[in-house]
Amino acid sequence: MGLDQIIANCKKNCPKAQEELYVLFAKKLFGVCLKYSKSYSDAQDNLHDGFILILDKINQFSNKGSFEGWAKRVMINNALQKFKDVRFLNIVDTDLAEEEITIDDEPIALETLLKMVQELPDQYRLVFSLYVLDGYSHKEIAEILNITTGTTKSNLARARMILREKINSYSGNPTRTKYNAR
């Protein structure tokens, strides 16, 4: 069964189609959840809640554009809404184990890098994830998080500085503290 048919069946509340949709997208969307969660278990909760939301709102998907992109946006909004509801935002706000990223000629497993991102303070993690990992502009982030663009830029710079320090410590070179701001 093709994706269009699975989506059509999900719109009819067909449990089998809902299961197929979950199987198709859970792994990719879990990666999105990891970026916006403090821990693996929080990411699992966000995935679960986000999928319920996707299935609740699937009738809003108009088959224009990518379903994956639409689902990703729902997941991100769900994760961000949890932070807004709990008021964590303070204004100052594939197989992962096998992938590696090279930073300053030093390979770092993607799983390790994501763990470092998860350890950032909430407001820094959200701004970093939205800007660096998902390509939002500072203006869009400011609107989403209800903060100023100056605050988003400051939070991004601080997040990058913290990550640079963590990466340098991880790679055994704690004296390097340079980082590149985008």
Side-chain angles (χ1 to χ4, degrees):
M1 180 178 339
L3 180 59
D4 289 339
Q5 187 60 50
I6 291 171
I7 293 169
N9 289 346
C10 284
K11 288 180 178 183
K12 296 175 188 173
N13 292 318
C14 172
K16 177 130 175 76
Q18 292 171 341
E19 180 182 355
E20 287 184 47
L21 191 69
Y22 180 86
V23 168
L24 278 173
F25 290 99
K27 190 173 183 179
K28 286 181 182 177
L29 294 177
F30 185 65
V32 171
C33 293
L34 280 170
K35 294 186 290 189
Y36 292 92
S37 304
K38 281 181 130 174
S39 67
Y40 192 87
S41 64
D42 283 349
Q44 288 175 316
D45 289 345
N46 284 335
L47 179 69
H48 176 266
D49 296 346
F51 250 103
I52 289 172
L53 196 56
I54 286 169
L55 294 173
D56 275 351
K57 296 183 177 274
I58 200 159
N59 285 321
Q60 294 176 10
F61 178 67
S62 61
N63 291 9
K64 292 180 183 171
S66 144
F67 178 79
E68 183 178 335
W70 179 83
K72 180 180 174 184
R73 173 79 76 173
V74 171
M75 283 290 175
I76 291 170
N77 288 339
N78 175 63
L80 293 175
Q81 188 59 45
K82 286 184 177 188
F83 285 104
K84 288 178 184 177
D85 289 346
V86 189
R87 303 208 188 281
F88 275 130
L89 290 177
N90 298 318
I91 297 182
V92 194
D93 182 12
T94 34
D95 184 354
L96 295 177
E98 294 179 12
E99 289 190 44
E100 286 191 344
I101 296 175
T102 302
I103 298 175
D104 292 338
D105 299 322
E106 308 233 7
I108 296 177
L110 181 56
E111 181 178 320
T112 302
L113 189 58
L114 279 176
K115 178 133 180 66
M116 290 176 185
V117 170
Q118 289 174 333
E119 292 170 351
L120 290 170
D122 293 332
Q123 66 276 14
Y124 299 163
R125 183 181 66 253
L126 294 176
V127 171
F128 180 85
S129 294
L130 287 166
Y131 187 82
V132 174
L133 303 176
D134 289 314
Y136 285 78
S137 70
H138 283 291
K139 182 180 177 189
E140 292 169 318
I141 296 168
E143 290 171 7
I144 291 168
L145 299 179
N146 197 26
I147 57 178
T148 67
T149 57
T151 300
T152 68
K153 291 175 183 179
S154 171
N155 287 346
L156 177 63
R158 289 180 180 152
R160 285 184 165 162
M161 188 168 51
I162 291 168
L163 285 172
R164 173 60 55 208
E165 290 170 3
K166 287 178 179 286
I167 290 166
N168 287 341
S169 290
Y170 174 81
S171 62
N173 193 355
T175 58
R176 289 188 311 188
T177 56
K178 287 191 212 174
Y179 68 96
N180 296 322
R182 189 162 108 178

